[in-house]
Amino acid sequence: PTKTRIWSHIHGDDQPALIASKAGLKYHVFVPAIRSKADSKWKERHQNVSDLDVSGNITMPAVLSSAENNLMERQPLNHNIDSTMYGKFGIAILSKFPIRQIRTHYYIRYKKKTQRNAMACLIELPNKKQVWVVNTHLGCHFIGREQAQQARELALFVHSLERDSGICAVITCGDFNSPPWFSCTRELKRQ
């Protein structure tokens, strides 16, 4: 394997699968935000990702991209570094209950900041009710408009899930990089 981030150790592990396995969770999904390779001690090269880069162990291999608004059938892919030697970095959801559907949202890139995203997994509970679980990682540059823009997009993404019939709840979690008094958090509460 090669070093894929300037701050990381060299590895080719499928960390979501390893954590799910150790925790005894049968289902997991990983949605990358970027593909990265360290060119030197101080410089990284990034590539865009698509829904074809989504990987995991789910019961139905359907991915619905909010950007493209179409359903794509795919087989779960390996998370390991690919032949281009770029590693994938993003967000994951682990579940002991079946994941029936995945939806992704890639935030509009803010200036030259790192690409960020959100994902939603439709999870079927033992009582056959279904719940959307949303995970995201908002930008860490809270001074400026990046987080506020991402919060508005996240609210729209969550609202689109709430309109699905037969859904009993939408649960949102993640790394918001924002304490309660920041504009991002206020924006999400307002929505």
Side-chain angles (χ1 to χ4, degrees), residues 14 16-17 20 25-30 55-58 93-95 99:
D14 182 348
L25 301 172
K26 187 174 179 182
Y27 306 97
H28 65 278
V29 175
F30 173 77
S55 64
N57 177 21
I58 62 173
I93 291 178
L94 314 176
S95 175
I99 296 173

Side-chain angles (χ1 to χ4, degrees), residues 59-77:
T59 55
M60 296 172 66
V63 177
L64 182 65
S65 171
S66 63
E68 298 167 12
N69 205 18
N70 64 349
L71 195 63
M72 301 184 330
E73 294 295 326
R74 60 142 184 91
Q75 296 300 315
L77 303 173

Side-chain angles (χ1 to χ4, degrees), residues 62-129:
V63 177
L64 182 65
S65 171
S66 63
E68 298 167 12
N69 205 18
N70 64 349
L71 195 63
M72 301 184 330
E73 294 295 326
R74 60 142 184 91
Q75 296 300 315
L77 303 173
N78 289 328
H79 174 71
N80 294 339
I81 297 170
D82 60 20
S83 61
T84 64
M85 302 308 286
Y86 279 82
K88 298 173 190 167
F89 299 86
I91 52 181
I93 291 178
L94 314 176
S95 175
K96 72 182 203 177
F97 303 120
I99 296 173
R100 298 294 184 194
Q101 189 179 27
I102 306 163
R103 292 192 187 170
T104 60
H105 176 76
Y106 296 89
Y107 297 118
I108 296 169
R109 189 180 217 124
Y110 187 79
K111 297 183 180 179
K112 293 185 178 186
K113 306 292 185 192
T114 301
Q115 178 67 51
R116 301 290 179 154
N117 59 351
M119 67 182 292
C121 289
L122 184 62
I123 297 176
E124 185 175 85
L125 303 175
N127 61 6
K128 299 298 180 193
K129 290 187 177 183

Side-chain angles (χ1 to χ4, degrees), residues 112-178:
K112 293 185 178 186
K113 306 292 185 192
T114 301
Q115 178 67 51
R116 301 290 179 154
N117 59 351
M119 67 182 292
C121 289
L122 184 62
I123 297 176
E124 185 175 85
L125 303 175
N127 61 6
K128 299 298 180 193
K129 290 187 177 183
Q130 295 184 331
V131 60
W132 280 109
V133 177
V134 178
N135 188 10
T136 191
H137 185 183
L138 300 184
C140 59
H141 305 283
F142 52 85
I143 299 174
R145 297 195 166 108
E146 178 186 25
Q147 283 186 343
Q149 169 191 305
Q150 291 169 349
R152 285 189 295 277
E153 289 182 54
L154 178 61
L156 291 172
F157 182 57
V158 168
H159 289 317
S160 75
L161 301 170
E162 291 170 339
R163 288 192 287 271
D164 284 358
S165 62
I167 305 304
C168 67
V170 177
I171 300 165
T172 305
C173 60
D175 183 349
F176 296 96
N177 279 316
S178 183

Side-chain angles (χ1 to χ4, degrees), residues 44-63:
E44 293 177 350
R45 191 177 335 170
H46 293 181
Q47 288 183 338
N48 290 334
V49 295
S50 73
D51 284 333
L52 296 176
D53 291 306
V54 173
S55 64
N57 177 21
I58 62 173
T59 55
M60 296 172 66
V63 177

